[in-house]
Amino acid sequence: MTDVAVVGGGPAGLSAALFTAKNGLDTVVFDTDKTWMHKAHLFNYLGIESEDGTAFLEDARDQVDSFGVDRRQGEEVETVEQDGDGFRVVTGEDDLTADYLVLATGANRGLAEGLGCEFTDEDVVDVGVAMETSIEDAYATGAMVRAEEWQAVISAGDGAAAALNILSKEKGEHFHDFDVPADAE
């Protein structure tokens, strides 16, 4: 049992995991390492002058690991389904239940379809600004919800939006993750 299950270890999934774990939610990330980031070089990501996509992923993984994310590298999710008030995530090695589900599988929308999420006329997962799907407490991010705008920085923002909505639900009020310099000491 975990609070948040994230399927996908690219910018969207790791961003969601960073926010939820940093703010006290048990978070598991399933990452097959098939992200497009390995083919990218970042010149257009705010705050990064120039970085290879694989190096960016290594930095992002180190960051989420430092906040205690249970990152299951190489563990592929076979199915996700609703399970009572939460979700059941099935892999070849394990079954896991989670209160919240964040799908961050790039343009592969199969898990969202299998879960029963609604799709738009453009054949992308239908979400609102908080990235929540038609299934309560299930979120879709990045290329799953966009027909064309597949950018690392947009995907990371989608993951953060999903995480902040989850944190707001958990706290019972609008949650704002804002750090000050003293927090870094």
Side-chain angles (χ1 to χ4, degrees), residues 106 109 120 122 124-127 131 133 140-147 150 158:
R109 301 173 183 104
T120 70
E122 294 179 305
V124 296
V125 181
D126 191 13
V127 297
M131 311 316 295
T133 70
T141 60
M144 299 184 78
V145 303
R146 299 176 189 284
W150 300 349
D158 288 350

Side-chain angles (χ1 to χ4, degrees), residues 71 142 149:
R71 194 168 44 82
E149 295 87 12

Side-chain angles (χ1 to χ4, degrees), residues 25-91:
L25 296 182
D26 290 329
T27 304
V28 175
V29 173
F30 297 93
D31 183 3
T32 60
D33 201 27
K34 295 178 183 172
T35 176
W36 299 332
M37 288 303 297
H38 292 299
K39 298 177 182 177
H41 191 94
L42 300 176
F43 294 109
N44 60 355
Y45 198 108
L46 186 64
I48 295 176
E49 185 174 325
S50 172
E51 185 172 28
D52 177 75
T54 298
F56 171 82
L57 284 173
E58 290 170 7
D59 292 342
R61 289 172 179 159
D62 288 346
Q63 188 175 19
V64 300
D65 290 351
S66 74
F67 284 102
V69 169
D70 178 1
R71 194 168 44 82
R72 300 195 183 176
Q73 200 66 35
E75 192 170 343
E76 186 169 357
V77 172
E78 296 171 354
T79 61
V80 294
E81 58 193 42
Q82 289 184 285
D83 184 26
D85 290 336
F87 300 92
R88 183 172 170 246
V89 179
V90 179
T91 71

Side-chain angles (χ1 to χ4, degrees), residues 102-185:
V102 178
L103 298 173
T105 56
N108 182 346
R109 301 173 183 104
L111 292 175
E113 185 176 1
L115 186 60
C117 296
E118 292 180 9
F119 281 68
T120 70
D121 292 340
E122 294 179 305
D123 203 30
V124 296
V125 181
D126 191 13
V127 297
V129 69
M131 311 316 295
E132 192 167 17
T133 70
S134 58
I135 308 291
E136 186 175 4
D137 297 331
Y139 298 80
T141 60
M144 299 184 78
V145 303
R146 299 176 189 284
E148 299 294 330
E149 295 87 12
W150 300 349
Q151 297 293 141
V153 70
I154 293 172
S155 295
D158 288 350
L164 288 176
N165 194 46
I166 290 167
L167 289 161
S168 293
K169 286 183 176 189
E170 283 295 300
K171 307 290 183 185
E173 61 186 16
H174 179 72
F175 183 79
H176 184 73
D177 184 334
F178 184 80
D179 297 311
V180 296
D183 294 334
E185 295 174 2

